Amino acid sequence: MSDVSFVRTEMLPEQAPPASEVGALGWIKHNLFSSWLNSILTIISLYAVYYVLSGILPWTFQSVWNADSLNQCREIMLENWGSTHGHACWAVINDRWLQLLFGFYPSHLYWRPILALILLLVALAPVLYSDRVPTKMLIFSAIYPFLMVWLMWGGTIWGPISAALGFVVGWGVYTIVSKQLSGLFGIILGVLASVIWWLFISSYFTSAMASIIPIGMEAVESRQFGGFMLAVLLGVVAIGVSLPIGIVLALGRQSDLLIVKYLCVGFIEFIRGVPLITLLFVASLLLNLFLPPGTNFDIILRVMIMMTLFSAAYMAEVIRGGLAALPRGQYEGADSLGLNYWQAQRLIIMPQALKISIPGIVSTFIGIFKDTTLVSIIGLFDVIGLASAIRADTAWNGIYWELFAFIAALFFVVCFSMSRYSMYLERKLQTGHR
C-alpha cells in the first residue's frame, strides 16, 4: 500500500466572504447579537430608544412656530390636532431668540458681537490647528483679546491699546533685566512694571491720546450684556486665562521655594474648598467694600476674575496630575542635556504633562463654561435669567420646556465641539502603543 501525496499547483480563485460576516450585517451580528445576553440587551435598548423618540419627535415637529402668546399657541394646537398635549410651542423661540442670544445689547449693534465671534474662530485657528494654519496668524491671536474688548464694549480704542502696552512694558523690562540679573528677578520686575503702568499711567495715556486722536465706537454698558453672548464671553475669558495661570500654580505647588509653594497650595485649596456661587457673591456684593470710594469696578470684569481664578485652581490640580504621571527619567534626561529649569519645562516636561492631562483639562473647560449660568443668581441676565424673565411675561407665562430645550441645544453644541476637539487632539498626539 503506497501513499500518494497531492500538491496543488494552482491557486483557487478568491471568494467573497459570507454576507453575514461583513458590512452592516456583520457589524450588527458581532456587536449587537453576538450572544443571547447581548441580544436581550439590544432589544431592550431599542425599545427604550423607540419609547423616548416616540414622545420627543411628535412633540418637536407637531408644533406651533407662529404665535404671539402661549394662549394663541394652544388655540392653534386645538384647531390642528384637537389637543394641547404632546405639541411644542416653538413660537416663544421664534419671538425671543434674538433676546436669548444677545440679551439687552442694542439691536443696531448686533454686528459687533457677531464679528467678535467670527474673529474668535480666526484667532483660535492657529492655536488649535497649528499644523494646518500659518504660525504668523499667532500675531492676530495675541491682538484679538484687546480687539474683542473694544468690539464688545466700544468707547475709545486707546483703552485696549493702553492695556496692551502694559504687557509690552513688562516684556521690555523683563528682557533688559534678565540679561543683567537672574530670570526670576526679571519676571518680578516685569510684572511690577506692568502693574504700575495699568494702575498709574494707563488712564493718563488713554485720556491724552483720546483727546489728540479721537477714535472710538458707541459705548455699551455691561448691564446691557446678556443671553448666550454673555455665557460665551465669560467662558472664553475664563478658559483662555485659567490655563496659563493653572500651569504657573501647578509648577509653584511643586517648587522648592517654601514661600512660593505654600502660597500656591493655600490659594488652590481655598478656591477648591469654596463654592463658585460664593465667589460670585463676593465679586458682586463684597468686593466694592474693599475698594476706594468712588471706584467703578465693572461687574462683568469682577465676575470674569472670580471665574478665572476658580477655574485656574482646578486646572492646577489637573496639570499637577499630569506632572506626577511623568517618569523620573524625563527630568533626569533634561538635566543630562544641560537644560535649566524653564528650558526643561518648556521643551520636555510641560508638553508631555499637558498631553497626559488633555481629558481633565477639557472637562474643566466644559465645567466652567456650563457654570456661567450661575451668574443669573447675582443679577446678570444670562440665557437662564432671560428665560425666567420671558416666562414672567403674561404672554408666555406657563411655558417651560421649549425655552430650556433651546438653551440646552446651545450649550450642547459648544460643549460637544470641545469634547470632539479633545478626542481629535488625543489621536493627533498619540505616540505610544494602544
Side-chain angles (χ1 to χ4, degrees):
M1 192 172 183
S2 61
D3 274 339
V4 179
S5 60
F6 177 77
V7 178
R8 189 178 298 278
T9 58
E10 59 183 12
M11 295 294 294
L12 291 175
E14 294 182 357
Q15 296 183 359
S20 61
E21 298 294 328
V22 295
L25 290 177
W27 185 89
I28 291 173
K29 176 181 177 182
H30 291 292
N31 292 277
L32 302 181
F33 297 97
S34 57
S35 65
W36 65 269
L37 179 60
N38 281 353
S39 301
I40 294 174
L41 293 176
T42 298
I43 294 172
I44 294 174
S45 301
L46 290 175
Y47 176 76
V49 171
Y50 167 78
Y51 180 78
V52 172
L53 293 180
S54 63
I56 292 178
L57 293 180
W59 179 81
T60 303
F61 294 104
Q62 291 182 357
S63 54
V64 178
W65 282 92
N66 295 299
D68 296 327
S69 66
L70 180 59
N71 289 332
Q72 189 176 353
C73 258
R74 289 169 176 169
E75 292 174 1
I76 296 173
M77 292 174 189
L78 288 173
E79 181 181 350
N80 291 336
W81 298 290
S83 172
T84 61
H85 179 71
H87 308 285
C89 180
W90 295 114
V92 64
I93 305 300
N94 191 27
D95 184 45
R96 299 296 185 94
W97 69 276
L98 284 174
Q99 187 179 16
L100 288 170
L101 291 180
F102 298 102
F104 301 105
Y105 207 85
S107 58
H108 65 284
L109 299 178
Y110 282 168
W111 65 271
R112 280 162 49 175
I114 293 174
L115 178 60
L117 177 61
I118 295 172
L119 294 179
L120 171 64
L121 301 178
V122 175
L124 288 176
V127 178
L128 302 181
Y129 301 98
S130 56
D131 57 335
R132 303 180 184 179
V133 181
T135 55
K136 292 182 179 179
M137 287 188 62
L138 286 172
I139 299 175
F140 178 75
S141 301
I143 297 173
Y144 174 77
F146 310 99
L147 180 61
M148 181 267 292
V149 170
W150 185 52
L151 284 174
M152 296 298 294
W153 275 272
T156 178
I157 194 174
W158 295 107
I161 291 177
S162 178
L165 286 177
F167 290 97
V168 175
V169 169
W171 177 257
V173 172
Y174 163 75
T175 303
I176 295 172
V177 173
S178 61
K179 292 180 179 179
Q180 306 296 329
L181 303 171
S182 65
L184 180 61
F185 196 63
I187 293 175
I188 295 174
L189 288 183
V191 172
L192 185 61
S194 296
V195 172
I196 292 174
W197 171 271
W198 289 324
L199 292 180
F200 302 106
I201 305 175
S202 176
S203 59
Y204 297 105
F205 172 83
T206 302
S207 301
M209 294 304 299
S211 61
I212 298 172
I213 309 176
I215 302 175
M217 294 189 297
E218 179 181 344
V220 179
E221 295 182 358
S222 294
R223 287 293 179 183
Q224 295 178 278
F225 284 52
F228 194 64
M229 176 190 71
L230 180 59
V232 173
L233 178 64
L234 295 175
V236 167
V237 173
I239 288 171
V241 181
S242 66
L243 180 59
I245 295 178
I247 292 174
V248 173
L249 289 172
L251 294 176
R253 184 160 189 165
Q254 293 187 333
S255 174
D256 294 330
L257 302 174
L258 292 182
I259 296 178
V260 173
K261 178 178 181 179
Y262 287 127
L263 283 176
C264 292
V265 170
F267 173 83
I268 292 171
E269 296 303 328
F270 173 76
I271 295 295
R272 291 175 68 222
V274 177
L276 176 58
I277 188 60
T278 304
L279 299 177
L280 294 179
F281 273 118
V282 170
S284 175
L285 303 174
L286 301 180
L287 195 58
N288 279 339
L289 299 178
F290 301 95
L291 297 175
T295 303
N296 184 17
F297 199 177
D298 189 273
I299 178 63
I300 292 183
L301 179 59
R302 283 180 270 161
V303 171
M304 284 179 178
I305 292 173
M306 286 302 180
M307 294 192 68
T308 299
L309 296 179
F310 182 83
S311 178
Y314 282 86
M315 192 68 63
E317 289 300 281
V318 171
I319 295 172
R320 187 170 71 92
L323 292 171
L326 288 181
R328 186 63 189 171
Q330 298 296 319
Y331 295 89
E332 295 172 351
D335 293 337
S336 67
L337 293 174
L339 302 178
N340 60 33
Y341 177 80
W342 295 109
Q343 289 174 332
Q345 292 294 336
R346 181 172 60 89
L347 299 174
I348 297 178
I349 306 302
M350 194 53 64
Q352 298 183 75
L354 292 178
K355 186 183 80 168
I356 296 172
S357 306
I358 286 175
I361 291 173
V362 175
S363 295
T364 305
F365 286 167
I366 292 175
I368 197 63
F369 181 71
K370 292 188 294 185
D371 284 344
T372 57
T373 55
L374 293 175
V375 299
S376 61
I377 300 177
I378 60 172
L380 293 179
F381 282 95
D382 76 315
V383 66
I384 297 293
L386 285 173
S388 301
I390 291 172
R391 290 190 293 109
D393 188 349
T394 54
W396 301 109
N397 189 13
I399 198 163
Y400 292 93
W401 292 105
E402 292 83 350
L403 288 169
F404 292 121
F406 179 72
I407 294 169
L410 292 176
F411 276 92
F412 175 79
V413 169
V414 177
C415 296
F416 183 71
S417 300
M418 285 193 282
S419 176
R420 298 303 299 179
Y421 176 77
S422 169
M423 297 174 65
Y424 156 79
L425 194 60
E426 288 184 62
R427 290 193 300 268
K428 175 184 172 183
L429 300 178
Q430 179 66 38
T431 56
H433 298 288
R434 294 184 180 275

